[in-house]
Amino acid sequence: PTTMDQDAVHWKSFDWKSADINFAKKTINIPRAALTELDGQFIITKDRTTNVQAIIIPAPATAAVEQGAATQVAEQAPWQFGIDELQVDKAAIGFYDQSLKPSFTVIVQQFSGLITNINTNTEKVAEFHLAGNVDGYAPVSLDGKAQFFIPQPQMEALVSFKKMDMGALSPYSAEYAGWRIKKGLLSVDLDYHYDHGKILGKNHVVIDHLEFGEKVRSPHVIDVPLRLGLSLLTDEHGIAILDAEITGDPNDPQFDLKATIQRA
């Protein structure tokens, strides 16, 4: 980021033993590569901007390209690039929300697995199978497939978190629900599809023995009968199950992902 001290992403090594390069066909293919100790961060600052926004450099307001040069570039066939197998070892992805008091931090670590068929060839579908843990104790997995290099990218992804300590979510529950969390375990399955420019998300949430702590004041509290709703949803074993779907079209100027998630 151009305005922040922290790196958004860095890694220890990216290695491969061989590469097949065909200059006539303009193709580069790496049979197998390894990415070791990737470390990424997503940071929400106190003024609610993100480090991703800090990375993006806006294009000049007037970007004129000569017609002849544009035609010449259009006539050139692009290079095709592919990695058959990418081994990911001990990746860590941190989420930091400094806009809350106290701030919120969660880190997915020891994230390892295999990604296959990363390829600009639009007929090939990439698949990914990765697993790790949250903050050293709660298992997390990511499985799915995607086509990133077609005009309308497509993706199917299932993210699963198991038995996370809900006490860590107190900064959010205090900010938006007006209650701190005393204890509880959270398991979540997020099944998301992105197809032809539309998002379809199915969220399966299991809350195990959630207990609220002290009530707090916040200007962002959402007016919902939280404790009543929880008591109605919780069975005799202390388990509450929530299922919610998210749908939307990011190409619609009125679409707001954050608002859609909050409504769900």
Side-chain angles (χ1 to χ4, degrees):
T2 56
T3 58
M4 302 181 71
D5 294 331
Q6 303 97 325
D7 291 335
V9 62
H10 60 264
W11 56 90
K12 182 178 181 180
S13 64
F14 179 67
D15 304 314
W16 66 93
K17 291 184 178 180
S18 64
D20 301 323
I21 304 175
N22 188 316
F23 285 94
K25 295 182 179 180
K26 291 187 176 182
T27 61
I28 301 175
N29 187 76
I30 298 175
R32 188 172 180 85
L35 178 62
T36 304
E37 295 186 23
L38 172 75
D39 191 339
Q41 300 184 79
F42 183 81
I43 303 170
I44 300 175
T45 63
K46 292 181 179 179
D47 61 1
R48 297 183 182 272
T49 60
T50 71
N51 61 333
V52 175
Q53 290 172 281
I55 292 172
I56 298 172
I57 300 174
T62 56
V65 179
E66 293 184 7
Q67 185 66 32
T71 302
Q72 183 179 2
V73 171
E75 290 175 351
Q76 295 177 354
W79 278 79
Q80 299 295 319
F81 176 81
I83 300 177
D84 296 340
E85 291 186 357
L86 175 61
Q87 182 71 46
V88 179
D89 187 38
K90 297 180 181 178
I93 302 171
F95 178 83
Y96 308 89
D97 193 340
Q98 300 169 353
S99 67
L100 303 173
K101 292 183 179 181
S103 61
F104 174 79
T105 299
V106 64
I107 301 176
V108 176
Q109 57 190 23
Q110 298 294 318
F111 211 42
S112 303
L114 191 65
I115 306 174
T116 59
N117 284 330
I118 304 172
N119 204 302
T120 54
N121 184 338
T122 58
E123 295 180 358
K124 293 193 174 184
V125 179
E127 294 190 13
F128 42 91
H129 304 280
L130 301 158
N133 61 69
V134 177
D135 295 334
Y137 71 95
V140 59
S141 63
L142 171 62
D143 298 279
K145 57 185 179 180
Q147 290 177 288
F148 295 115
F149 301 103
I150 58 178
Q152 287 282 1
Q154 299 181 25
M155 182 178 70
E156 299 176 13
L158 175 62
V159 184
S160 296
F161 297 88
K162 301 300 181 185
K163 296 189 179 300
M164 291 175 54
D165 178 13
M166 293 194 71
L169 301 175
S170 274
Y172 281 107
S173 66
E175 183 80 0
Y176 297 108
W179 294 90
R180 299 194 189 280
I181 295 175
K182 184 177 180 181
K183 69 173 186 177
L185 296 175
L186 175 69
S187 297
V188 181
D189 291 325
L190 307 175
D191 188 359
Y192 274 70
H193 294 237
Y194 183 76
D195 190 7
H196 292 92
K198 293 184 178 181
I199 292 175
L200 172 60
K202 296 181 179 180
N203 306 298
H204 178 68
V205 181
V206 178
I207 300 173
D208 186 351
H209 287 86
L210 172 61
E211 289 186 17
F212 290 109
E214 62 179 317
K215 186 175 177 61
V216 295
R217 292 185 178 182
S218 169
H220 301 112
V221 169
I222 300 172
D223 186 19
V224 294
L226 187 65
R227 300 183 77 185
L228 173 61
L230 181 64
S231 64
L232 293 174
L233 290 169
T234 303
D235 63 17
E236 65 272 19
H237 304 293
I239 304 296
I241 297 177
L242 307 173
D243 290 303
E245 288 192 358
I246 291 176
T247 59
D249 184 353
N251 296 318
D252 186 344
Q254 303 298 320
F255 178 77
D256 186 334
L257 181 60
K258 181 179 178 181
T260 302
I261 293 173
Q262 284 184 338
R263 285 197 299 272

